[in-house]
Amino acid sequence: MPRLPRPRLSLDRFRRQLASVDALPQLCVLGLVSGLITGGLMVLFRLALQLGAMIFLPGGNPENFEALSPLTRALLPLLAVTLIGAWLWWLRPAGRQIGIAHVIERLTYHQGRFPVRNWFTQWWVGLISVLGGLSAGREGPAIHLGAAACSGLGQRLRLPHNSLRVLVACGTAAGISASFHTPVAGVIFAMEVVMMEYTITGFMPVILASTMGAVVSQAVFGFELPFEGTGLALGSLLNLPWIVLSALGIGLLAGGFVRVARAGDRLKRVPFALRFALAGGVVGAMAWWYPQVQGMGYDTLGLTIGGSLSLDVLLAVAIGKLLITAFTVACGIPVSIIGPVVVAGGAAGALCGLLGAQLLPDLAAGPAVYAMLGMAAMMGAVLQAPLAALMALLELTHNPNLILPGMLAVVVAGLTSRQLCGCDGFFISVTRHGLHPLQQPLMQALSRVSVPAVMERDLVRSRRRVTLDQASALLVAKPVWIVIERSSDAKPTLALKAADLARWMLEHDETDKLIDKEGRLDLLEIPGQRLDLAPIHLQATLSEAFLRLNTKHADALYVEHGHRPKQKRISGIITRDAIERYYRYSDAPPG
């Protein structure tokens, strides 16, 4: 019976193509699907917020804390930390990790694989922290839920780990895009903060994912422009010196925020329940007088830009909201910080604008301009992500007139936070190993490709002792390597160059001293190149292979294919030389 042709479209073929560094069409398909998945999740999350607001908040508005009585809005954060603490209490410390820092940690040290329990925790904590009146945003949940869901799709399909990295970036970008309708800022944030690299192969699928995330969100909620700023302009270049001074102050605030938020190690001595109670009590105390510090605060930011807030409220939001958010994080409550940081930055900028109007009444730009510059400067300084902050400024305001002063404000604030306050990016500061692994050029390059793209496939398996006829049969297929199995458990332990066996057989016969009484040849006794082997799975990246070679002190790795022990087979061998050759020539032009 004639053999049927293998279908051109198959999952195995798709996996093999994704293992390569230039699998752009396949990655774009994943980006498209990732955007749809993340967009759908963000729609569900926002609908859940609205449903909760209809039950607990007047008017069904998840930011309408001002309509509550002082006692109610003061007690609400205590209820929120109680619910969050009760959930986290029963989890192991690893299960409590959520948000953007968790995404970066899983991408860096776990090849983009996410635990399911943390994903469900993110739903619960994300909803309760916003509806419960804590100073929290929805960006962290958006990024974690999207990145983990897209990575879960890749894990379900058993895709190589280099594609999981791209899926995490796609989920990140689509989450930001679907939450704020800022697709370009979502892409830049994913590449600048999460991936920490810019490549064409990474950009295109992430752009597709961000686009589809925005499309899904806009199809449900319509087009939203929360901070309309069209027509506002700097007016006079004489504002630039004051913008520099304002950005300097905002950079100091950003540095203070990072330092307070990262003081959690000192607070670990305080009992778990007391820490949570302190955080809820501080938020509730401030909310008694200033409910604007609660929740996401985007309505407050809109009023700030519109010039509708009094001076004391601006001070409460600029300093109070910033500090209570940092203190909440330091107490171990995993709330999203980007929204509160942007809102506080807008209030701080408005204060600078009001002061500038007093100093230069005829030339100073209005407080609205400084508010918009302040939110970008604060975001860029806290995250150390200047491009993402600038793109967010442009997309949230639709005002290109703010790009020039925005660039100056973002750079000055970022330098101030980094150099004067000694603060790295908020999320990078969670690492404990000096230079972040994603910032190392070697590990970045090796993470872009999986082992099937580099491994040597021409091999045969053999027992340690074979007859001369069996040795000749091994060479019929002209393999490069002969993988020698251990007699005890049939697991490979060494690899022999097939050319060395062929050379020995040409120079010796059955009378040689290496032939035992039973006429068998010991392959381990043949002079030649032999490699100590350790296993690695087919989905691994070259960075995983490189680390495994070092930790196992092996010369090479045999690549296993299959999940059940009885179904596992060897797909190839990857040597240290093959990895080094890939890294040396990966950027060289073809030919």
Side-chain angles (χ1 to χ4, degrees), residues 49-380:
L49 281 177
Q50 291 181 1
L51 179 61
M54 292 174 63
I55 299 173
F56 298 108
L57 293 172
N61 183 355
E63 298 191 84
N64 194 20
F65 297 99
E66 293 85 349
L68 297 173
S69 67
L71 180 61
T72 301
R73 62 179 181 247
L75 293 177
L76 199 56
L78 291 173
L79 175 62
V81 297
T82 301
L83 293 174
I84 294 173
W87 180 278
L88 297 181
W89 177 262
W90 298 103
L91 297 175
R92 295 179 179 178
R96 302 170 187 171
Q97 305 302 315
I98 59 175
I100 302 172
H102 177 66
V103 171
I104 296 175
E105 189 265 339
R106 299 303 299 186
L107 181 67
T108 305
Y109 301 109
H110 302 277
Q111 303 300 320
R113 293 168 292 181
F114 290 81
V116 176
R117 65 180 183 275
N118 299 63
W119 193 76
F120 285 110
T121 297
Q122 179 64 89
W123 279 97
W124 174 255
V125 175
L127 292 172
I128 297 301
S129 62
V130 174
L131 294 173
L134 297 175
S135 181
R138 62 174 182 242
E139 311 77 26
I143 291 171
H144 183 181
L145 295 176
C150 296
S151 173
L153 172 66
Q155 291 176 252
R156 184 73 175 176
L157 298 177
R158 300 201 302 275
L159 301 182
H161 289 172
N162 64 318
S163 60
L164 292 189
R165 288 173 47 82
V166 179
L167 283 170
V168 170
C170 289
T172 298
I176 292 287
S177 177
S179 294
F180 292 105
H181 305 292
T182 54
V184 179
V187 172
I188 300 298
F189 183 91
M191 306 304 289
E192 191 174 29
V193 177
V194 177
M195 294 284 284
M196 299 182 204
E197 63 176 351
Y198 297 96
T199 62
I200 294 297
T201 305
F203 255 126
M204 290 191 178
V206 173
I207 289 172
L208 267 177
S210 186
T211 302
M212 297 312 299
V215 167
V216 172
S217 180
Q218 290 179 21
V220 177
F221 299 108
F223 183 77
E224 300 172 338
L225 188 62
F227 315 125
E228 181 70 57
T230 304
L232 294 175
L234 192 61
S236 171
L237 293 179
L238 293 177
N239 284 279
L240 294 181
W242 185 244
I243 288 175
V244 171
L245 291 176
S246 301
L248 180 64
I250 290 174
L252 293 174
L253 286 175
F257 171 85
V258 174
R259 286 188 173 274
V260 172
R262 289 301 167 217
D265 290 339
R266 302 175 187 174
L267 292 175
K268 285 183 179 178
R269 306 169 189 171
V270 181
F272 180 88
L274 182 57
R275 275 187 283 130
F276 275 51
L278 281 173
V282 169
V283 176
M286 180 159 284
W288 180 285
W289 289 281
Y290 297 104
Q292 293 85 357
V293 302
Q294 293 185 284
M296 296 177 286
Y298 303 132
D299 58 340
T300 300
L301 182 56
L303 295 173
T304 300
I305 295 173
S308 303
L309 296 182
S310 60
L311 184 62
D312 63 320
V313 174
L314 287 176
L315 283 169
V317 174
I319 299 176
K321 188 173 181 66
L322 201 65
L323 288 178
I324 63 173
T325 305
F327 184 69
T328 301
V329 174
C331 288
I333 302 176
V335 298
S336 175
I337 61 102
I338 296 180
V341 160
V342 170
V343 174
L351 287 171
C352 293
L354 290 173
L355 182 57
Q358 296 296 320
L359 298 176
L360 297 171
D362 297 328
L363 297 175
V369 171
Y370 281 88
M372 294 177 186
L373 298 179
M375 68 182 190
M378 184 70 80
M379 176 182 174

Side-chain angles (χ1 to χ4, degrees), residues 131 308 380 403 496 581:
L131 294 173
S308 303
I403 290 298
L496 171 70
R581 282 197 304 272

Side-chain angles (χ1 to χ4, degrees), residues 468-488:
L468 290 181
D469 289 339
Q470 290 171 336
S472 298
L474 292 175
L475 300 174
V476 170
K478 298 181 179 180
V480 176
W481 295 99
I482 299 174
V483 178
I484 303 173
E485 299 173 349
R486 290 182 291 192
S487 57
S488 59

